[in-house]
Amino acid sequence: MFTSVDEVSARLAETGYLASPAVATTVFLADRLGKPLLVEGPAGVGKTELAKAVATIAGAELIRLQCYEGVDESRALYEWNHAKQLLRITAGRDETWDETRTDIFSAEFLLPRPLLTAIRGDTPKVLLIDETDKADVEVEGLLLEVLSDFQVTVPELGTVTATRRPFVVLTSNASRELSEALRRRCLFLHIGFPDEELERRIVRLKVPDLDEALAASVVRVVGALRAMDLRKVPSVAETVDWARTLLALGADTLDETVVQASLGVLLKHQDDVLKAAAKLDLDAV
Amino acid sequence: MTAAASDVAARLTDFVAALRAHGIRIGTGETVDAGRAVAALGLADRERLREGLAATLLHGTGQRPVFDPVFDLYFPRGVGAPEERPADRDDLRDRLAKALTANDTALMGRLAGEAVDGFGGYGSSPASDGWSSYQTLDRLRPQTLLARVRDDIRAQGGTSGFADRLLDDEIRRRIEAFRAMVATEARRRVAERRGRDEIARRAVAPTADRVDFLYAGRDRVAELRRTVQPLARKLATRLAARRRRAARGTIDLRRTLRGSLSTGGVPMRPVLRRRRPARPELVLLCDVSGSVSGFSDFTMLLVQALHDQFSKVRVFAFVNRIDEVTGLLRHGVADPQGLGARIQTEATLTRWHGSSDYGVALGEFAEHYADALGPRTTVFVLGDARTNMSDPNLPAVRDIAERARRVYWLNPEPRTLWGTGDSAAPEYAGVVAMHECRNVRQLGDLIARLLPV
C-alpha cells in the first residue's frame, strides 16, 4: 500500500490525520509485514481516528467491531438467519429432509458479522476492532484464529480464508490486560500525547479560524496540565474542544477569567479543577 | 548473507538478548519480525528504527522505559567523540542557553555529546577511566540557566499574558530533558569502552514493576503510584474470575436427590451447592516508619483501589504506637502524594522516639482493636520486622493469628537479610506466614494468590 514512511505521513496528513513519526513508522510496518496493529493509549488521542484515516487512504471499506462485555461469536463472526431458514423450510414442503438440510445451511442464509465480512471478498478492507479490552477473554481466543491465519471456520460451510488480507487495527485503553498470545500476533503501538509542535499543528488543522498565537498558548496550558498529577489529564480531543470553545467565546488571548470560565472543557473532575486552579494561580473557581 | 547484513543481524540478536535480560519476554518470531522491520525501514533514520523495533519487539507500554536506554546503547547516535573539540565551559553554556531558548532538541543532543566529551572524563589509566554524567552536570550546571533562558524568551516576545506563568516549568522540563541526554551520552561512551552487554545489564533502570520498594527514589515512587490503578484493575479481574470459578462449587447431594424424584430416582440434573457471597474482610497493619514507608504507602493505595473486592477494609498505621487511618486513606486516594505526610501528622504513631517498635505496636493492636478481627478477617502485616532490638512480643502476634482467619506478613527486605542485625523476621515467620515482597510484581502476585476468595 505504501512505499515509504514519508508517504504514510504525507497521505495520512491529506486525510486530516497528523501522525507522529512513531505512528507513521508503525503503520508502514503493519502494512509491509502484513500484521495486525495493536494501538494502546489514553482516551482521545486518535486511536480510532487512525483506523479511519488508513481506510480513507487505501480507499478501503472500514469494518468496525465495537467490543463490549458480552460480545460473542454470533456478534463477532457470523450468525444463521433463522427466520429466513424457517421461511425456506415452510416454502419447500414437499422436499426431502436431505434437500432442505443442505439448502438451509448455504451462504444465502448466513449473516456475516464484522470478522467474517472483513476476510471475505477481494475488495480492500480495514478491520477496526475497537476497545478490545472491553470484550471477554473468550473473544480473544476467537480473534487469535482470525488474526494469525486470516481464516474463519463455519462448520457447515468449511473454512473461509482471506484472499486479500484486511489491514487490522485493534485499540485498547488497557482497562484489562490483553493476553500475551494476542499481543504476540500484533505490532504494538502506544499513542501518547503528541509533542507541543505536533499538537499545535493538530489544533490549527481542526480549528483553522483560531489565531496562531492563541493556539500556541492553548497547547502550552494543556501541556502544563498534563504535567500535573491529575485524575484525568486532558487529551488531544479535549485540546481541540477547548480551542473551539475559546473561538466561540470570542477570546483573543488567554487570561485568568477566560481560563477559569472554560476549565471545565478540559478537566472532568472537580478535584482536578481545584488542583489545576491552585497550580495556575487562578482565584477560587 | 553479506557481511553488513550479518553484522546487523548479530547486533539485533545481542540487542534482543539484552532486553530479555531485563525481563522483557521476546520470542524468536518477534526477533524475525524485527529483522524484517529493519530491512523495510533501513538504518538511515534512527528514530524510525527505534519505533520500528519497539513496535515489533514490545508488547506493552511499561517496557518502553527499559527499551529506550538499551536501544541507545546498541544503536547509538554516533560513535566515538564528537568532531568539534569542546570549547570552554562558558561558551558551551552560552550555546546551551540558546538551544534551550529555541527548544531545539537536536542541538541539545549534540551539545550533550560535547559536554560529556569536555567535562565528563575522569581517570587516566585505561583500567580506571570512564565518563560520568554526574561530573558533567556538576561542572556545567544547566539548572542555573533558568533565569537567563527565561529572560531571553521574554526578550524575544515569545510569550505574553497568561501562558507566561507556565514558562518556568517549561524551561525546567527542557533542562531535565537535556540532563537525560547527558546521562544517555555518558552511558554510551562508557559502553564503548567497557562492552555494551555489561553496561546494558547494569546501568539500565528496571521497569517500574521491578523497582525495589526499599531503594526507590522519589521520582520512581511517583512512577510506582501511577501503576496502582492499572494493577488494581488487573487484580480485580483476576479475583473476580477466581470467585466465579469457586462459585461453581460442589454438588449438593440433598437437593440433587430431591430433584431426582420427578425422574424416578435417576439424578438427571446435579444441583450445585450455592456459596454465600461472603466477601472477605481485610485488615492492614502498616509500618510507616521512614525505611519502609514507600512500600506501605503503595500497598495501602492498592488495597484502597481494590476496596470493592472486600466487604470491609480497615487500615492501621504504626511506628511505635498504632492508630487507625482508614478514614484518612479514603480521602487520600485523590492525593496520594500527601498521604504519607497526612498519616504522619494526623495519626498518633510515635511516643518518646521515632523508631519503629513492632512489639509495642502489635501489642497495642491486639489490646485495643481486637474487634477488628474475626473469623472472616485476613490480616496483612506490612513491614521489615526490624524492631530496634526491642522485644518482638510474639504472644501478641500469636493472639492476632488465633482471632483472625489468616495472617500474612509481607516483608520488603530480601530473604537473605532476614534475621540480620535487629531484624526479628525469623521469629515472626515462625508464628505467621512471611513472604518476601520487594517490588510491585511480587506484590501483585502475592495479593492475587493470598487473598481469600
Side-chain angles (χ1 to χ4, degrees):
Chain A
M1 193 152 56
F2 306 107
T3 54
S4 73
V5 179
D6 291 321
E7 192 195 332
V8 177
S9 327
R11 290 180 63 189
L12 280 174
E14 278 167 26
T15 69
Y17 189 98
L18 298 181
S20 68
V23 172
T25 311
T26 322
V27 168
F28 172 70
L29 280 180
D31 174 47
R32 194 46 80 81
L33 306 185
K35 294 193 87 176
L37 182 57
L38 170 62
V39 188
E40 276 190 351
V45 290
K47 301 188 292 294
T48 307
E49 289 307 310
L50 177 61
K52 291 184 187 162
V54 171
T56 315
I57 300 179
E61 182 191 349
L62 180 74
I63 297 158
R64 180 169 180 165
L65 172 62
Q66 177 71 45
C67 294
Y68 51 89
E69 220 173 300
V71 67
D72 59 1
E73 204 167 341
S74 58
R75 293 278 159 197
L77 270 181
Y78 65 89
E79 263 180 300
W80 289 106
N81 189 342
H82 295 304
K84 203 172 172 189
Q85 280 172 332
L86 282 176
L87 281 174
R88 170 70 188 74
I89 295 168
T90 334
R93 274 180 197 288
D94 20 339
E95 281 174 348
T96 64
W97 165 241
D98 277 337
E99 281 167 351
T100 315
R101 187 182 56 189
T102 47
D103 217 41
I104 59 170
F105 286 109
S106 63
E108 196 195 339
F109 299 94
L110 195 68
L111 289 174
R113 298 298 181 203
L115 293 183
L116 185 58
T117 315
I119 63 172
R120 284 212 307 189
D122 281 329
T123 52
K125 295 190 188 71
V126 171
L127 170 62
L128 167 64
I129 304 176
D130 216 0
E131 308 200 37
T132 317
D133 50 331
K134 298 280 191 311
D136 300 323
V137 187
E138 291 79 13
V139 176
E140 274 184 39
L142 203 70
L143 290 177
L144 289 183
E145 185 194 2
V146 178
L147 295 185
S148 59
D149 303 331
F150 290 94
Q151 63 179 38
V152 168
T153 308
V154 183
E156 294 85 352
L157 286 182
T159 304
V160 184
T161 310
T163 46
R164 179 177 186 140
R165 289 189 170 198
F167 186 96
V168 186
V169 178
L170 298 94
T171 73
S172 156
N173 282 329
S175 71
R176 176 172 67 81
E177 192 69 13
L178 297 177
S179 74
E180 193 69 7
L182 183 64
R183 286 176 181 276
R184 278 192 194 291
R185 280 173 177 68
C186 302
L187 293 185
F188 177 77
L189 171 65
H190 178 260
I191 303 188
F193 299 122
D195 62 23
E196 215 178 295
E197 198 248 324
L198 179 59
E199 187 160 25
R200 210 159 45 219
R201 276 167 50 212
I202 294 173
V203 171
R204 297 277 295 152
L205 185 75
K206 302 278 174 193
V207 195
D209 294 338
L210 196 72
D211 171 58
E212 178 136 20
L214 185 54
S217 308
V218 162
V219 170
R220 288 178 60 193
V221 172
V222 171
L225 289 174
R226 282 183 196 146
M228 292 175 197
D229 190 15
L230 300 178
R231 277 171 72 182
K232 165 82 180 70
V233 293
S235 72
V236 186
E238 271 114 30
T239 315
V240 173
D241 282 350
W242 197 39
R244 291 214 176 98
T245 312
L246 293 175
L247 195 65
L249 290 173
D252 309 326
T253 52
L254 281 184
D255 58 42
E256 273 185 38
T257 0
V258 174
V259 176
Q260 216 172 82
S262 57
L263 209 52
V265 180
L266 287 171
L267 302 175
K268 313 292 177 182
H269 292 283
Q270 182 60 18
D271 337 346
D272 285 356
V273 173
L274 292 177
K275 196 184 235 177
K279 285 250 175 80
L280 293 175
D281 289 336
L282 299 175
D283 295 327
V285 178
Chain B
M1 199 188 283
T2 63
S6 72
D7 183 45
V8 171
R11 176 72 60 99
L12 192 62
T13 43
D14 285 353
F15 175 58
V16 168
L19 288 175
R20 282 186 188 140
H22 280 283
I24 298 183
R25 284 196 288 190
I26 299 173
T28 316
E30 280 106 308
T31 318
V32 173
D33 280 343
R36 289 168 68 199
V38 173
L41 293 170
L43 293 166
D45 189 324
R46 184 162 170 271
E47 289 313 305
R48 274 182 198 166
L49 185 64
R50 182 199 295 271
E51 298 304 337
L53 290 180
T56 45
L57 293 174
L58 301 187
H59 298 126
T61 322
Q63 301 167 332
R64 197 62 198 245
V66 169
F67 175 88
D68 278 332
V70 179
F71 177 86
D72 286 332
L73 283 180
Y74 281 82
F75 299 90
R77 182 179 284 123
V79 185
E83 285 171 16
E84 298 158 59
R85 290 315 301 165
D88 59 301
R89 175 171 167 275
D90 289 335
D91 175 54
L92 195 59
R93 276 171 61 90
D94 281 344
R95 285 191 288 151
L96 180 58
K98 287 213 185 71
L100 288 170
T101 309
N103 198 11
D104 181 345
T105 40
L107 182 56
M108 277 155 65
R110 279 203 299 282
L111 291 176
E114 279 184 46
V116 172
D117 195 50
F119 311 112
Y122 61 83
S124 49
S125 70
S128 70
D129 64 347
W131 303 95
S132 155
S133 61
Y134 175 77
Q135 185 180 312
T136 313
L137 293 169
D138 193 45
R139 295 214 186 136
L140 201 59
R141 299 197 169 276
Q143 62 276 23
T144 55
L145 289 171
L146 177 66
R148 191 165 144 192
V149 174
R150 188 202 304 137
D151 291 346
D152 284 355
I153 294 180
R154 290 224 173 111
Q156 289 170 10
T159 67
S160 57
F162 183 79
D164 201 27
R165 62 180 71 171
L166 309 173
L167 195 55
D168 279 12
D169 280 338
E170 283 174 4
I171 299 171
R172 257 181 229 121
R173 283 205 290 272
R174 288 179 203 172
I175 292 176
E176 207 41 57
F178 176 72
R179 295 169 71 99
M181 288 176 189
V182 168
T184 306
E185 175 67 14
R187 241 192 337 251
R188 177 186 74 75
R189 297 285 288 269
V190 176
E192 257 178 29
R193 179 113 3 145
R194 297 262 174 83
R196 223 177 267 125
D197 297 345
E198 190 198 335
I199 300 301
R201 204 164 41 243
R202 285 194 304 128
V204 174
T207 45
D209 64 343
R210 284 166 174 256
V211 173
D212 214 316
F213 283 123
L214 291 182
Y215 310 117
R218 213 155 50 97
D219 50 334
R220 300 293 325 231
V221 169
E223 195 182 323
L224 278 182
R225 286 208 188 92
R226 279 193 286 279
T227 63
V228 165
Q229 288 299 338
L231 178 63
R233 272 200 307 253
K234 217 192 301 182
L235 284 173
T237 33
R238 220 183 289 169
L239 291 174
R242 227 173 65 180
R243 207 166 277 150
R244 251 201 322 271
R245 272 203 302 279
R248 285 185 201 137
T250 48
I251 287 188
D252 185 337
L253 202 60
R254 193 180 60 84
R255 282 171 53 216
T256 305
L257 283 180
R258 199 160 74 190
S260 73
L261 290 180
S262 62
T263 51
V266 182
M268 300 281 281
R269 215 173 237 284
V271 181
L272 296 179
R273 193 181 304 258
R274 209 169 295 138
R275 284 194 175 225
R276 303 239 177 288
R279 290 178 180 236
E281 291 174 13
L282 199 65
V283 170
L284 286 190
L285 303 180
C286 310
D287 181 354
V288 293
S289 66
S291 55
V292 289
S293 63
F295 165 59
S296 290
D297 273 9
F298 182 84
T299 315
M300 279 191 257
L301 287 174
L302 180 63
V303 167
Q304 189 57 36
L306 278 171
H307 69 96
D308 51 354
Q309 299 291 318
F310 311 105
S311 64
K312 203 183 202 180
V313 180
R314 292 180 74 176
V315 184
F316 299 85
F318 66 88
V319 175
N320 49 50
R321 298 200 54 183
I322 200 156
D323 199 358
E324 178 155 11
V325 295
T326 316
L328 287 180
L329 198 61
R330 200 157 292 142
H331 307 296
V333 174
D335 175 27
Q337 251 154 16
L339 177 67
R342 291 246 310 282
I343 288 178
Q344 296 283 358
T345 50
E346 290 181 33
T348 323
L349 304 173
T350 53
R351 61 176 162 199
W352 305 320
H353 58 101
S355 47
S356 45
D357 186 335
Y358 282 76
V360 174
L362 291 171
E364 255 189 18
F365 176 76
E367 196 176 325
H368 297 301
Y369 297 104
D371 60 316
L373 303 174
R376 290 204 320 212
T377 2
T378 299
V379 180
F380 278 90
V381 186
L382 315 175
D384 57 4
R386 294 203 171 266
T387 65
N388 293 303
M389 296 303 178
S390 57
D391 172 28
N393 198 357
L394 293 178
V397 182
R398 230 171 260 130
D399 187 33
I400 295 173
E402 260 165 37
R403 289 167 191 244
R405 180 165 165 213
R406 293 241 163 72
V407 180
Y408 299 107
W409 193 304
L410 304 186
N411 191 334
E413 277 196 338
R415 199 175 279 270
T416 45
L417 291 182
W418 294 5
T420 60
D422 58 349
S423 166
E427 283 97 317
Y428 287 126
V431 184
V432 298
M434 189 179 278
H435 298 270
E436 179 188 273
C437 180
R438 291 167 61 192
N439 52 42
V440 174
R441 177 179 294 224
Q442 274 180 337
L443 179 65
D445 288 349
L446 280 170
I447 290 203
R449 195 153 55 84
L450 299 182
L451 275 185
V453 175

